[in-house]
Structures are given as structure tokens and as C-alpha cells.
């Protein structure tokens, strides 16, 4: 898998790669940060310079996938590799839901994280990718707690809310974040013998339900995604419990991407300080135009993809 | 001495004190360090502003992205205050990206920018120069190369530390005052000898190090400690944090 030189022997002293610890730990290191969609090495460099913790390498941002239509697939490995070579921050890439071969290709190309994403056209209507056998970690979308825990039981090492990507409208992300958090709170007040029924209701293993009930949080990092377009959007999502944010079309579909990117990074760190959010929100130029979620045609609600 | 606030006493205790230790809370694995410091005998505080920095006896720089943290240190006028406190002897502990930031020179391991042997300074990171070391970012490779291993660390008693390396850096060269606390073995050599490596590798001309010596993963120089791995991710073992709390107490 190594594409770069490896000065130290990773088998030293019983060393193991691809563990839960390094997969989930990698997401811990992204916390408090912003992950930005980019389509060119130039955009990746702008994102890195603005303070992104990672970039998502894509051929088309979700807003363009919506407007151009057609089947959306994994990006060209050449294009992903050019972005990998242009930045030192981690590079993520998207595979279609259930498309385990696309995921194997992305692992082979050397991406740092795979997003099994509803933004692409699903490849399997029943099964998500079995993520455990992979060395590279996966992030998956969720609209509610059951969906999040099902993805974790399949091996996801990070969860993000789905939101409604490519709309510049944060309403769906808000709904998903509030729902996931509310359902976790509900578990925490249940009696131990009530957790079996809760597990059945959420359609997930009781062990995961018990863990959430005891700790009050997901066993992996929780980010938000879908429709975040402004520094205030990012700050609100953090107030709602997101440990970091994905910004898709919101940056490079706006008037001044470099400034907006940096402003969203700053607002994500100082999400609880309205003075900072106000300061960085000034003079950013035009935000992406946006689409009202209720205006989306049937079949174009990405959040409904995945099961 | 930069003790701007009094030591906080344990509940009713008269003999033990809990130093106030900050965790740079701009981005990254902040919560885990706060929890480990609490268990390790300190009063932890997140630090995002100069006035919060002024109230701590020591500072932890967590793992995360060093470019992001540099950008935010600069953007919120925290870089100079942190650098000045470090120069004045404030104890500090950096894990992973924190180690990168504490170094004096940072090199990239980057295919597009010259690879593992390049002496190209890393782009986008401004080191705080609290440790006389040259650090190479992402030195073990990409995320697929991230690994866990058991590691003997000098000064940490009670058996090996379980070390989680995530896109980890390594220390490529150390100054004469820097103590090497742990190494991982280079390719084709025998078992690691923690602390056994000759720590003095003067580097007057700043030339890149020999490939065979790039395996130092924990160092200490006076009140400054750094690890390429993440002890904060291993629940139930806060020996490294306890050690740092002791260093802060001793200062």
C-alpha cells in the first residue's frame, strides 16, 4: 500500500496496521477541523493554505452532480493521485454505497480515508461495503442513530450527518444532527433491560446500543456534512454536537473561496464565540446560491440513499 | 517562572498540588489530552486565547494537522505568546502534530515535494522551536501505514507503552541537549533499544540525516517532552501524562 518511502519497519515490536485504534484515532485527529471538497490540485492547495484538516478529492462537487445528472461514480485515480501529491494534509475520496471494488481501488491509490457516500449513485440497494477487511478507514453518512450504528457495525471508523449535499441549505444537516443526538440522549435514560428492545427498534447490535447508553456518545467521531455554506452554518453544527464539518460545494461554488474557506475554519474552532463568528463572516463575497430542499425533484434527495 | 495563578490543592489535601495544564484547543485530539491530564493529576484547561495561556503552568500541544494549527495560531495571535512562554521555560508536551510544532525545523515526507530524503522545509507549518530537533512529517507513510506497537520509553516505568502512530512524524536529528526516550527499529535491524541510541548528532550545516537514523519517536529537552505517537488515545494508561505532570510540578 505504501506509495512513499518507508524509513521505519512497521512490523517492529509487534506493530500492526489497519487496527480499529488507528482507523478511529485518525478521525480523532481531524476533530475541530474542516474537510473540504476539491476537484483540482490548485483547489487542494487553497484548502490546505486556508487551514483545512483534509480534502475530499472529487471529479465534480455535489452541486454539479445535481445539475449535470447522470450516474456519479468514483473519481479517476489519476486525478486523485495528483491531489494526493499536491498537499501534505490527508486526502479522502468517495466510493459508491456498496461498491467494494471502488473502495479497493481507492485504498490501492493510497487515499487516507474513504467516504462511502450517498452523493454518488448507489451501487447496491441492500448492502453497504463490509469495511472491516480494509486497512484504510471509512467515513459514512447517517440521518439517525440506528443508521450511524449500522455503519459502525459494518466497520465505519467515523460518522457524518448526511444533510442534503450540493444544496447550500443546512436544514437537513440540522435535522440529522438533532435527531442523532436526541436518540443518544433517549438511550442514556433507559434501564439496562430496556436496551434489547431499543436495539431491535434501531436495528443494531445490542452491544453498540449499550455502549452509547453508557458513554452518551458514538464510539467514533461524529462530523456533519451537507449544505454547509457559511461560517455561521459551521458554528451552529458544532453547537449541535458535530465534532467537525465537511464543506462540499459551499467553498468553491462561492465568490471568494480562499477567504470563505479560512473563515469557515476559524468559525469551526471558535464556534462558541459569536464575536469571532461575526468577525470572520464579514466581507466574504457571495455564498453559493443554494437550492431549497423541498424544490428537489423526486429521487434527488441524497439523504434517502443508504439503509 | 510564569505561574500566573496559584496551584490548586486537592480536595482537602494539604500535601499534593495539581498544576494547571493547558491543552492547545485549536484543532485535533484535545478532549483525550484533557481527560488524560485529569487522570494524571493535573487541572486541565483548554487554551484558545492568549489570556487562557497566561493562566497555565504547562501546555500540551495535541495531535491534529500541523498546518491547520499553524494557521490558527497565526490567525488568533497566539503564536508569539506561546513561543515566548516556551522560550521562557514553560513546560510543554507535544504528541504527533504537537511534536512537529515544537521542533526547530520541519521537513516533508512528500512524494510531490521530494520524498523521504528531501531536505525541503515543510510547507504551511511554522515551528515554535522549543526542541532542538529536526522533525519529518508523515514520515511513516500515509494512513494505510499507520500502526500500533508496544514501545519501551525511557523514564516510563511499568512495562512498554502501547503506542498508536497515526500518519506519524519522526525525529530525524537531535541537538546535544536532547535526550532520546524511544525509538522504533529501522528496516533490517535488530530489536529497538529504547534510549540506547547515541543522542548527540550535531548538524552544523543542516544537511539531511542518514536514512538509517530516522527512527526516534520520543524526546525530551529540559521541560519539553514530545512523542510521535498518541498516548492520549490509549484509555487507562496515563503514565506519559503523569510524567509530564511531574515535569510541570518540578518546574
Amino acid at each position: 500500500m505504501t506509495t512513499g518511502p518507508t524509513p521505519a519497519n512497521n512490523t517492529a515490536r509487534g506493530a500492526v496496521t489497519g487496527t480499529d485504534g488507528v482507523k478511529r484515532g485518525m478521525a480523532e485527529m481531524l476533530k475541530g477541523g474542516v474537510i473540504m471538497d476539491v476537484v483540482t490540485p490548485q483547489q487542494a492547495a487553497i484548502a490546505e493554505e486556508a487551514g483545512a484538516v483534509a480534502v475530499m478529492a472529487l471529479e465534480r462537487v455535489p452541486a454539479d452532480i445535481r445539475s449535470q445528472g447522470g450516474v456519479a461514480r468514483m473519481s479517476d485515480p489519476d486525478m486523485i493521485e495528483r491531489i494526493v501529491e499536491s498537499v501534505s494534509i490527508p486526502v479522502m475520496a468517495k466510493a459508491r454505497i456498496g461498491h467494494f471494488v471502488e473502495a479497493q481501488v481507492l485504498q490501492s491509490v493510497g487515499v487516507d480515508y474513504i467516504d462511502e457516500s450517498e452523493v454518488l449513485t448507489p451501487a447496491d440497494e441492500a448492502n453497504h461495503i463490509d469495511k472491516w477487511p480494509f486497512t484504510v478507514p471509512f467515513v459514512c453518512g447517517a440521518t439517525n442513530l440506528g443508521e450511524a450504528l449500522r455503519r459502525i457495525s459494518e466497520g465505519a471508523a467515523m460518522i457524518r450527518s448526511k444533510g442534503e449535499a450540493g444544496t447550500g441549505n443546512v436544514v437537513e444537516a440540522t435535522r440529522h444532527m438533532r435527531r442523532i443526538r436526541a436518540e443518544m440522549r433517549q438511550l442514556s435514560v433507559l434501564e439496562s433491560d430496556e436496551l434489547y428492545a431499543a436495539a431491535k427498534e434501531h436495528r443494531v447490535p445490542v452491544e453498540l446500543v449499550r455502549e452509547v447508553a453508557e458513554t452518551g456518545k458514538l464510539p467514533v467521531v461524529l462530523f456533519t456534512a451537507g449544505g454547509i455554506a457559511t461560517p455561521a452554518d459551521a458554528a451552529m453544527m458544532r453547537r449541535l454536537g458535530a465534532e467537525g464539518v465537511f464543506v462540499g460545494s459551499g467553498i468553491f461554488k462561492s465568490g471568494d473561496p480562499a477567504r470563505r474557506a479560512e473563515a469557515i475554519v476559524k468559525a469551526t474552532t471558535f464556534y462558541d464565540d459569536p464575536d469571532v463568528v461575526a468577525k470572520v463572516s464579514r466581507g466574504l463575497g457571495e455564498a453559493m446560491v443554494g437550492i431549497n430542499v423541498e424544490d428537489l425533484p423526486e429521487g434527488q434527495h441524497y439523504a434517502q440513499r443508504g439503509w | 517562572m510564569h505561574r500566573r495563578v496559584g496551584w490548586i490543592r486537592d480536595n482537602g489535601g494539604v500535601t499534593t498540588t495539581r498544576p494547571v495544564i493547558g491543552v492547545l484547543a485549536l484543532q485535533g485530539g484535545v478532549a483525550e489530552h484533557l481527560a488524560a491530564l485529569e487522570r494524571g493529576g493535573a487541572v486541565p484547561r483548554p487554551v484558545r486565547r492568549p489570556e487562557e495561556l497566561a493562566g497555565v503552568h504547562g501546555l500540551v500541544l495535541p495531535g491534529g494537522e500541523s498546518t491547520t494549527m499553524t494557521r490558527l495560531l497565526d490567525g488568533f495571535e497566539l503564536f508569539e505568546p506561546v513561543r515566548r512562554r516556551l522560550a521562557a521555560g514553560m513546560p510543554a508536551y507535544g504528541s504527533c502534530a504537537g511534536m512537529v510544532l515544537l521542533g526547530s525545523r520541519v521537513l516533508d515526507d512528500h512524494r510531490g515535494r521530494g520524498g523521504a530524503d528531501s531536505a525541503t522545509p515543510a510547507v504551511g507549518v511554522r515551528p515554535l522551536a522549543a526542541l532542538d530537533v529536526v522533525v519529518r512529517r508523515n514520515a511513516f507513510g500515509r494512513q494505510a501505514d499507520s500502526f500500533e506497537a508496544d514501545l519501551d520509553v525511557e523514564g516510563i516505568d511499568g512495562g512498554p507503552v502501547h503506542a498508536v502512530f497515526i500518519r506519524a512524524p519522526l525525529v530525524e536529528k537531535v541537538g546535544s541537549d536532547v535526550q532520546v526516550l524511544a525509538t522504533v527499529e529501522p528496516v533490517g535491524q535488530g530489536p529497538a533499544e529504547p534510549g540506547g541510541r547515541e543522542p548527540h548528532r550535531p548538524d552544523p550545516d543542516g544537511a539531511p540525516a542518514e536514512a538509517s537514523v530516522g527512527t526516534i519517536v520520543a524526546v525530551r529537552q529540559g521541560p519539553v517532552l514530545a512523542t510521535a505517537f498518541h498516548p492520549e488515545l490509549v484509555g487507562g494508561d496515563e503514565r506519559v501524562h503523569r510524567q509530564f505532570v511531574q515535569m510541570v510540578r518540578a518546574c
Side-chain angles (χ1 to χ4, degrees), chain A residues 2 19 28-29 31 87 112, chain B residues 27-28 32 110 142 145 148:
Chain A
T2 310
T19 60
E28 303 284 350
M29 298 310 134
K31 284 192 302 192
V87 290
D112 297 297
Chain B
Q27 189 271 315
E32 293 73 15
H110 202 274
R142 304 199 65 83
D145 306 302
E148 299 183 35

Side-chain angles (χ1 to χ4, degrees), chain B residues 114-184:
Chain B
D117 297 328
S118 90
T120 319
V123 176
V125 54
R126 185 144 74 106
L128 290 153
L131 279 171
D132 184 13
V133 298
V134 178
V135 183
R136 189 176 290 281
R137 280 200 302 197
N138 304 340
F140 294 88
R142 304 199 65 83
Q143 170 60 15
D145 306 302
S146 292
F147 64 102
E148 299 183 35
D150 289 329
L151 201 65
D152 292 319
V153 181
E154 194 158 286
I156 305 293
D157 297 328
V161 169
H162 189 68
V164 181
F165 292 84
I166 296 172
R167 299 178 85 247
L170 58 74
V171 171
E172 201 159 86
K173 268 175 283 184
V174 295
S176 52
D177 295 333
V178 178
Q179 190 188 359
V180 173
L181 303 181
T183 59
V184 295

Side-chain angles (χ1 to χ4, degrees), chain B:
Chain B
M1 286 290 148
H2 281 265
R3 284 172 198 155
R4 315 271 169 96
V5 298
W7 296 75
I8 292 176
R9 293 187 183 284
D10 273 334
N11 276 350
V14 266
T15 49
T16 51
T17 52
R18 296 168 72 88
V20 178
I21 299 183
V23 178
L24 188 66
L26 297 173
Q27 189 271 315
V30 176
E32 293 73 15
H33 275 295
L34 291 170
L37 286 168
E38 172 97 54
R39 294 194 305 268
V43 176
R45 296 264 169 83
V47 170
R48 288 182 301 178
R49 301 175 177 87
E51 58 271 27
E52 291 162 349
L53 176 69
V56 301
H57 304 120
L59 185 67
V60 170
L61 293 92
E65 283 304 315
S66 56
T67 47
T68 305
M69 284 193 243
T70 296
R71 194 82 190 137
L72 292 166
L73 279 167
D74 279 341
F76 290 99
E77 280 144 31
L78 203 53
F79 185 89
E80 265 309 305
V82 172
R83 196 197 58 74
R84 277 199 302 272
R85 282 291 305 274
L86 290 168
M90 173 179 65
Y93 165 46
S95 66
C96 196
M99 174 194 249
V100 172
L101 289 170
L102 287 172
S104 295
R105 264 182 80 209
V106 184
L107 307 176
D108 250 335
D109 178 34
H110 202 274
R111 282 182 289 155
R113 294 175 188 151
D117 297 328
S118 90
T120 319
V123 176
V125 54
R126 185 144 74 106
L128 290 153
L131 279 171
D132 184 13
V133 298
V134 178
V135 183
R136 189 176 290 281
R137 280 200 302 197
N138 304 340
F140 294 88
R142 304 199 65 83
Q143 170 60 15
D145 306 302
S146 292
F147 64 102
E148 299 183 35
D150 289 329
L151 201 65
D152 292 319
V153 181
E154 194 158 286
I156 305 293
D157 297 328
V161 169
H162 189 68
V164 181
F165 292 84
I166 296 172
R167 299 178 85 247
L170 58 74
V171 171
E172 201 159 86
K173 268 175 283 184
V174 295
S176 52
D177 295 333
V178 178
Q179 190 188 359
V180 173
L181 303 181
T183 59
V184 295
E185 59 189 83
V187 177
Q189 296 196 5
E193 292 175 1
R197 187 175 295 283
E198 175 57 56
H200 187 189
R201 270 196 300 279
D203 173 38
D205 58 352
E210 314 274 327
S212 63
V213 299
T215 52
I216 300 166
V217 293
V219 292
R220 178 177 173 179
Q221 183 178 13
V224 181
L225 178 70
T227 62
F229 51 91
H230 296 279
E232 77 279 7
L233 289 182
V234 181
D237 182 359
E238 57 283 339
R239 284 176 293 163
V240 173
H241 288 80
R242 208 171 281 284
Q243 168 82 0
F244 179 59
V245 172
Q246 287 300 337
M247 287 166 62
V248 176
R249 276 209 190 97
C251 241

Side-chain angles (χ1 to χ4, degrees), chain A residues 1-64:
Chain A
M1 204 51 49
T2 310
T3 39
T6 311
N9 179 0
N10 288 2
T11 60
R13 310 285 309 267
V16 254
T17 58
T19 60
D20 247 19
V22 298
K23 288 174 171 178
R24 295 181 179 187
M26 167 85 202
E28 303 284 350
M29 298 310 134
L30 300 170
K31 284 192 302 192
V34 182
I35 298 164
M36 302 181 191
D37 278 6
V38 299
V39 300
T40 64
Q42 291 74 24
Q43 289 186 353
I46 290 169
E48 182 177 42
E49 167 72 20
V53 288
V55 291
M56 178 76 69
L58 282 166
E59 249 159 9
R60 296 181 288 172
V61 295
D64 290 334

Side-chain angles (χ1 to χ4, degrees), chain A residues 244-256:
Chain A
V245 300
F246 284 81
V247 185
S249 320
I251 289 171
F252 290 99
K253 285 284 166 192
S254 75
D256 188 345

Side-chain angles (χ1 to χ4, degrees), chain A residues 208-225:
Chain A
L208 280 175
V209 164
R210 193 177 300 285
E211 190 174 347
V212 172
E214 280 166 8
T215 63
K217 60 193 283 297
L218 290 181
V220 302
V221 167
L222 173 63
F223 267 47
T224 189

